[in-house]
Each structure stands twice: as C-alpha cells, then as structure tokens.
Amino acid sequence: MRHRLGESNLRIGVKIWLFFMLFVCVVFLLMWLFQIIFLEFFYESMKINDTAKLAKQLVAHYSSDDFSQYAANASVQNEMCIELLDQNGREVFYSCMYNGKCLLHGSDSGTFFYLIDLQNSKTGTICRRVFSENLQNEMLVYGTVMYQKNGDVVGYLLLNSPLVPVESTVSILKRQTMIITILLVLFGFVISFYTANHIATPIVRITQSAKRLAHGDYSVKFTGGSFAEVDELADTLTYAAHELSKTEELQRDLIANVSHDLRTPLTMLKAYAEMIRDLSGNNPVKREQHLNIIIEETDRLSMLVNDMLDLSKLESGTQKLNYSTFDIRTCMEEIVHRYEGISEKMGYHIHFTPDESCLVRCDENKIDRVVGNLINNAINYTSKENKQVFVTQKNTPSGIRIEVRDTGDGIEEDKIKMIFDKYYRSENHKREVVGTGLGLSIVKAILKMHGYNYGVNSKLGEGSTFWFEIRDVIHKDDPVDAEIQPVE
C-alpha cells in the first residue's frame, strides 16, 4: 500500500511539476524576450519618446522670460545638448554637456545638414541615430520646427542625447535570469512535490476506503485532508456508505419478509392440496373447506404481489393521479361500511366519527386505498381484548384531517420514524386479518404524490393514531372544475 501511495504521489507530483514548469517557461520566455532580446529596441523607443516629450516642453516655454534658465536646467537634468535656431538658421540658444564635442557643437558638427533635413521634413520633426567619432558613442539627434499661432516658422530646435550601450547590461541580465531560472525550477520542484503529496495522500486514502466500500464493507469511514473539496468528498462518500448500508438492510428485510409471506401460503396450499388428494377427496364438506382455504391463500399471494407492483409503480412515478371532486364524508362512510363483514366475523368494532359534508378534489381511488390501508393496519395491531378501531373526520381551516386510531400496544419512540419505511414491519404483526406488510409504504407514496402532510402519534400501552390532511378542499365560492396540479 505504501508503494502504491508513493507511486500515486509521484504521478500527481509529476503532473503538478509539469504544469508549474510550463508556467515558469512561459514567464521566463517573456522575460528573455522583453528584457534581453528586445531590450535595445525598447530602450531606443523610450529614449526617442522622452526626447520628443522634452522638445514639446521646450517649445511650450519658448516665449516665456525664463526660457534660457528652463532650457539650461532641462539640459543638465536630462544630460542632453540643446541647439535653438531662429527662422533664418542663426543660433539663439545652446547648451552643450560635452564641452563642444557633441554632434551639434563639435568639430564634426552637422547642424547645417540637420537643419536642411528639418526644413524639408513633411512632419516637422526628424530623428537620427548617428555615431560620434569624438565621443565614440551612438548619439540621438532629434529636431522639431517651432511655429507661431498663425502657422509661421519661429525657429528650429535640435536636441542631442547619447544612447547608452546596452550590451553589458544584456550580459548581466542574461546571467541573472539564468540563475533565477535555475533557482525557481528547483524551488518549483520542491513545492510541487510537497503540494502533490499534501493533496494526493487524502485522495489515495479515500480511494482505498472506496475499494473497501465496493467490496461490501459499509462500515468504512472516509477521512478528508486539508482542503475543503477533499473534506466535502469524504463526507459525501461517508453519507453514501451509510445510505448503501440502509439499502442493504432494506433488501435483506424485503427478502426475509417476502420469503416469509410467500412461504406460509405456499406451504398451506401444498398441505391442503395433499389433504384433498389423500383424505377429503370423497368428502364434500371437508373438500369444500380445504378448497376455500386454498382460495384464501391464493388471494393472499395475489394481494402481496399486487401491493409490491403498486408500490413500485407509485415510487417510480409511472402511476399518475386521477383528480375528481367528491364528498369526503360520503367516501369515508362507504369505506367503513365495507368493514362490517370483518366486524361481525372477527369481533372488531370500527367507529366512525364524521364531520360536516365537504367537497374535496383529489384522486378518490387512491385516497380510498389510503384510508383502507390505515384501517387494515389498525385492525392488525389493535388490542385482542378490546378490538376497537376509531376513524375520525375533522374539518379544519387548513383542510380535512383524517385519523385512524387503534387500541394496541403502541410504537416505541425510536421506531416511529421507521414505521412508514418500505418493508418495515412490527414484531407484533398478526395474521388474523389479511395483509402484506406494504400498506403503510403505499400510504406514504400516495400521500407524497398528493403533497399532503401525514404522520403518526403513539404512546406505549395506549395505541397509535395515524393521520393525514387533505388540503384540496372545494369551498362554496370555488368553481367545482378548478384545476389542481399534481405534485411531482
């Protein structure tokens, strides 16, 4: 495992290092281009721009009284020679920083030629790069024509500035850049490897835990790292493992419950079929009894399969709600009336307490099934001695509240939240009344489709009260055919 961890860290480290190196290469490529290869070009461009800017400032101050002082200060501060000529080419002002050795004031002065170029220039400016024999250096000569407001020529301004050699500077920058490049590459490698290890370690740990989860170890816990994303991933996987464990438990319960519910009627079917064959085949009375039992167990099997299919359709959304308008009181009375046979045969007493008649708009068949399942559940779990079931209709401002109360043993507080879960069944289930154990799950699915509130109140030793609220009430002022959208 440590070997794999090292390999994973190395792979991630190499990737991060490669990305970092690519970034560094781009940065240093730009540094080499702008600071070394194009340094001379940028220097000369900036020198020309600064000289042109100074020329504009001098032209702007030409008519001021302190022009001579201003020009002399500018010459010293910028290390620049200045030659000012009038419109006839006569010298008006000069300032030389090289003791008469520059291109404007030296023995090899070409002021006359620069003046001719300036007079012939279409733009009114010239810019020349000339090598000075006296100074043994490249010099920049910049000239501009000075105009009056009416457009007449006032004079000519020539500026001479040295161009500092950049070869030595480029050499120094090359060495510095090379040293910085090597140091940054080494530093980047160390940082990349440390970062990769810091990121990869919790990810590898999560991967190992995920493999355990894939092999069915749902007790595994995922631990994060130093990053919020990794912590969130670990929490999500831990939650997924918990939910998978619940699903696994529900699957086991399903298999156990279905196996139990299928095995009992199948065993009885086989047993009574053998009895008919071996014992009661010629006895009409016993044969009739045994055949009735076979029919009852067959109905029980059919009911179980139908409930499983119906629950699957409800949860998958393939069944849609068929809305209609009906009187909830009349519907409840009909449902309770259907249980009179069970009451007479098995001694159960179902009491219905109605409220005023009220129109509701929902799926009548599914609400009928909800109430029927709740009554069946109450009969299954009510007290054997008491055998009382209470059904109540309460009209409230928020809707119609339907309650079904039994007189059984009640439900433990820690199990109330699981009572509507799929395939969950209490240990106190009896077989006196036909049931599949899926009734409350179907109730939950139907009420969720309608968007109705539901729940259960229970106390140990006092029984349980299951309830739900129908919100879609048709008031007197409402149109009877009002459309109600189903809840997705």
Side-chain angles (χ1 to χ4, degrees):
M1 178 177 178
R2 292 181 179 178
H3 178 65
R4 292 180 179 178
L5 177 62
E7 288 181 351
S8 301
N9 289 349
L10 181 60
R11 287 196 299 269
I12 296 177
V14 169
K15 291 181 180 179
I16 295 177
W17 182 79
L18 289 176
F19 280 117
F20 178 79
M21 286 301 300
L22 178 62
F23 174 76
V24 170
C25 289
V26 172
V27 171
F28 278 95
L29 177 61
L30 295 176
M31 288 177 59
W32 280 76
L33 287 175
F34 287 97
Q35 292 192 7
I36 297 177
I37 298 178
F38 298 125
L39 179 61
E40 186 174 357
F41 170 77
F42 288 134
Y43 169 74
E44 185 173 340
S45 299
M46 292 174 63
K47 190 69 175 180
I48 294 173
N49 291 334
D50 291 342
T51 305
K53 183 177 179 181
L54 179 60
K56 290 182 179 180
Q57 294 174 356
L58 291 172
V59 172
H61 282 80
Y62 176 68
S63 59
S64 62
D65 297 335
D66 60 343
F67 173 77
S68 298
Q69 185 63 39
Y70 179 83
N73 293 335
S75 176
V76 174
Q77 292 174 1
N78 296 276
E79 197 176 352
M80 190 176 296
C81 300
I82 301 175
E83 180 72 13
L84 182 61
L85 306 174
D86 62 13
Q87 66 270 26
N88 298 317
R90 293 189 295 268
E91 186 178 77
V92 177
F93 174 86
Y94 81 95
S95 176
C96 182
M97 301 297 299
Y98 300 98
N99 297 323
K101 296 181 180 180
C102 68
L103 294 175
L104 299 179
H105 308 108
S107 57
D108 56 351
S109 172
T111 304
F112 175 75
F113 299 102
Y114 300 138
L115 179 59
I116 297 300
D117 291 342
L118 189 57
Q119 290 174 342
N120 295 328
S121 174
K122 295 180 180 180
T123 61
T125 59
I126 61 169
C127 185
R128 302 285 185 266
R129 181 175 180 174
V130 183
F131 181 78
S132 174
E133 295 291 342
N134 292 333
L135 299 177
Q136 291 294 307
N137 192 24
E138 291 284 343
M139 304 294 287
L140 175 67
V141 177
Y142 183 87
T144 182
V145 180
M146 297 187 298
Y147 298 95
Q148 291 180 346
K149 292 183 179 181
N150 57 8
D152 295 335
V153 177
V154 176
Y156 305 94
L157 176 65
L158 295 173
L159 303 177
N160 180 209
S161 177
L163 293 174
V164 179
V166 296
E167 287 80 5
S168 59
T169 304
V170 170
S171 178
I172 296 173
L173 287 175
K174 284 182 179 179
R175 295 178 184 178
Q176 290 180 345
T177 305
M178 185 64 67
I179 295 173
I180 293 174
T181 301
I182 295 173
L183 290 177
L184 281 180
V185 169
L186 295 176
F187 181 72
F189 180 81
V190 174
I191 293 298
S192 300
F193 186 81
Y194 172 77
T195 304
N197 184 72
H198 196 56
I199 296 175
T201 299
I203 294 178
V204 172
R205 188 164 57 241
I206 289 175
T207 301
Q208 297 299 326
S209 299
K211 290 180 180 179
R212 291 173 54 192
L213 176 62
H215 287 86
D217 184 5
Y218 300 113
S219 63
V220 62
K221 291 185 178 180
F222 294 85
T223 56
S226 302
F227 300 94
E229 293 80 2
V230 178
D231 291 337
E232 185 176 354
L233 174 61
D235 294 340
T236 302
L237 290 175
T238 301
Y239 175 76
H242 177 68
E243 293 299 313
L244 287 174
S245 66
K246 290 173 60 178
T247 303
E248 183 76 12
E249 183 178 355
L250 289 174
Q251 288 178 348
R252 289 195 299 266
D253 292 343
L254 168 63
I255 295 173
N257 290 328
V258 172
S259 299
H260 175 271
D261 286 339
L262 289 176
R263 182 169 58 246
T264 301
L266 287 175
T267 302
M268 296 183 68
L269 285 172
K270 181 180 179 181
Y272 279 95
E274 291 176 348
M275 290 176 65
I276 293 173
R277 182 193 63 188
D278 299 334
L279 300 177
S280 61
N282 297 322
N283 189 330
V285 177
K286 290 186 178 181
R287 184 174 65 234
E288 185 71 18
Q289 293 176 349
H290 296 164
L291 287 174
N292 285 335
I293 293 175
I294 290 176
I295 293 173
E296 290 177 358
E297 295 302 322
T298 303
D299 291 339
R300 190 188 302 274
L301 281 174
S302 178
M303 185 181 299
L304 174 62
V305 173
N306 289 336
D307 279 356
M308 293 177 65
L309 291 175
D310 290 343
L311 181 60
S312 177
K313 291 178 181 179
L314 288 170
E315 292 183 334
S316 63
T318 56
Q319 278 196 8
K320 303 299 181 181
L321 297 178
N322 184 20
Y323 282 92
S324 63
T325 302
F326 59 94
D327 187 346
I328 187 62
R329 174 174 175 170
T330 303
C331 178
M332 296 293 298
E333 289 174 346
E334 292 176 354
I335 295 172
V336 173
H337 178 71
R338 290 201 299 265
Y339 282 87
E340 290 181 356
I342 294 179
S343 300
E344 295 176 358
K345 180 179 179 181
M346 307 184 66
Y348 289 94
H349 301 280
I350 302 176
H351 308 275
F352 175 50
T353 304
D355 206 330
E356 295 181 359
S357 296
C358 186
L359 293 179
V360 296
R361 184 169 178 80
C362 50
D363 192 320
E364 183 176 4
N365 291 330
K366 288 184 171 56
I367 295 299
D368 185 306
R369 187 166 189 180
V370 167
V371 177
N373 284 1
L374 293 180
I375 294 177
N376 288 339
N377 182 76
I379 292 175
N380 280 326
Y381 291 98
T382 197
S383 171
K384 292 182 179 181
E385 295 77 16
N386 197 349
K387 291 189 176 183
Q388 305 291 323
V389 175
F390 301 89
V391 181
T392 306
Q393 171 200 344
K394 296 180 181 180
N395 296 351
T396 66
S398 60
I400 308 298
R401 183 181 177 95
I402 305 298
E403 296 181 352
V404 179
R405 179 170 64 91
D406 62 57
T407 57
D409 297 331
I411 307 170
E412 294 86 347
E413 185 176 355
D414 60 332
K415 295 182 179 179
I416 288 180
K417 60 183 180 180
M418 300 184 296
I419 198 66
F420 286 98
D421 288 350
K422 290 185 295 185
Y423 314 118
Y424 176 81
R425 300 181 67 176
S426 171
E427 293 81 358
N428 299 323
H429 174 67
K430 307 189 300 296
R431 283 182 49 89
E432 283 84 350
V433 178
V434 176
T436 64
L438 299 176
L440 293 182
S441 300
I442 294 176
V443 167
K444 175 183 176 181
I446 292 176
L447 294 178
K448 287 185 67 175
M449 288 181 67
H450 282 83
Y452 295 161
N453 294 328
Y454 62 93
V456 56
N457 303 320
S458 182
K459 290 185 178 180
L460 291 177
E462 298 182 9
S464 304
T465 302
F466 288 81
W467 60 268
F468 68 94
E469 294 180 346
I470 301 176
R471 298 182 305 172
D472 304 322
V473 178
I474 305 298
H475 300 285
K476 294 181 180 180
D477 298 333
D478 296 337
V480 176
D481 58 348
E483 291 294 332
I484 298 177
Q485 297 298 328
V487 177
E488 296 296 337

